[in-house]
Amino acid sequence: MKLYKTKTCAVVEHNNLYYAIHRDWQTLVNVDNLYQQLSELIATSPAGTDTLIKDIEAPMGPQQELWACGVTYLRSKVGRQEESKASGGADFYAKVYEADRPECFFKATAHRVVGHLAKVRIRKDSTWDVPEPELTLVVSSSGKIVGYTIGNDMSSRSIEGENPLYLPQAKTYDACAALGPCIYVTEQALSPSTSIAMQIARNGKTVFEGTITIDQMKRTVEELASFIYREASFPHGCFIMTGTGIVPGSDFTLQSGDEISISIDSIGTLKNTVQ
Ligand code: DO4
Ligand code: MG
């Protein structure tokens, strides 16, 4: 089933029926048995139509954090080695790809994250920018993966490439991430053949497209979540981006007005425009 956060309520979509749930969002999603809880709630709620799905927000509560992992796909390692060659930083990416400990970093608090159809931003002091389409885990306070959403980890390649120590500035700024359009809630693990696709359109024409399947990821999603939860507690749960496997070529940079569409099987399509 799919769970949407709208301006007025949570909406569950199940078997083409829609149910409005009036509960505090963070309390609703931060449970280990989310699928079962939603099944029980919709069993006693009247079914409505898809008109309930309007004014979608990012599926994140105000006290939930967004973390991210990096260099989890070969393509990300190679892309970053290229961009950091001049700074001498390329070895760091090669080493972290092979190391036991993954790259995990804090990405954003809720107020820096936008939802479906909202505008993402590129930094004014950046000259080379890309969206990063990433499977994003919804994790309860106990560390259990209870759902999946789509994430866009907007990144400045010029700033990160200048020096890997600039990573927080390359990654974290206002409207630096998009999440949505919903949380896909399932009791099963995602199929390894789950596909992530990204398309970027400029003035109505496709200027980039790429796809990858999640079985190309070097690490498991449980491994990534367990490292982030190792020495940090998340009383309200946490969202974890699992890294990008799609990196446009070095000649591509985002421009204002570009339309980014990211689709992941079973979840849907997250669309955002660059401000
Ligand atoms: O190493 C820097 C960030 C990596 C990242 O965001 C990714 O691989 O998706
Ligand atoms: Mg990323």
Side-chain angles (χ1 to χ4, degrees), residues 11 46 48 133 137 151 164 199 226 234-235 241 263:
V11 177
L137 315 175
Q199 190 234 13
S226 79
F234 298 94
M241 292 172 153
S263 302

Side-chain angles (χ1 to χ4, degrees), residues 113-175:
V113 179
V114 305
H116 181 55
L117 302 180
K119 291 198 163 124
V120 287
R121 291 185 59 251
I122 50 182
R123 293 181 60 120
K124 289 191 201 74
D125 56 1
S126 173
T127 54
W128 185 16
D129 298 272
V130 285
E132 295 189 353
E134 307 192 13
L135 174 68
T136 301
L137 315 175
V138 184
V139 188
S140 70
S141 52
S142 77
K144 182 158 188 264
I145 299 167
V146 297
Y148 305 88
T149 186
I150 303 173
N152 175 358
D153 171 23
M154 292 287 289
S155 300
S156 162
R157 295 190 75 181
S158 53
I159 294 176
E160 186 185 336
E162 190 177 338
N163 188 323
L165 295 179
Y166 294 152
L167 187 81
Q169 296 175 73
K171 293 287 187 179
T172 304
Y173 52 91
D174 291 343

Side-chain angles (χ1 to χ4, degrees), residues 73 191-197 211-217 245-246 265:
Y73 292 83
S191 157
S193 63
T194 297
S195 165
I196 302 176
T211 58
I212 187 108
T213 49
I214 62 168
D215 60 0
Q216 298 304 301
M217 204 194 293
I246 303 175
D265 293 341

Side-chain angles (χ1 to χ4, degrees), residues 59-112:
M60 210 181 161
Q63 288 148 301
Q64 294 178 314
E65 295 175 21
L66 174 61
W67 282 64
C69 302
V71 199
T72 51
Y73 292 83
L74 187 63
R75 180 68 191 104
S76 177
K77 174 180 103 79
V78 171
R80 294 192 142 86
Q81 284 180 297
E82 279 163 17
E83 82 194 12
S84 63
K85 218 185 305 171
S87 75
D91 276 2
F92 290 106
Y93 298 102
K95 282 182 181 155
V96 83
Y97 185 70
E98 298 297 341
D100 284 343
R101 185 189 290 275
E103 181 198 6
C104 304
F105 59 94
F106 176 73
K107 174 70 181 174
T109 41
H111 85 278
R112 297 215 168 85

Side-chain angles (χ1 to χ4, degrees), residues 12 20 54 107 132 202:
V12 176
K54 51 175 187 272
K107 174 70 181 174
E132 295 189 353
R202 184 172 297 158

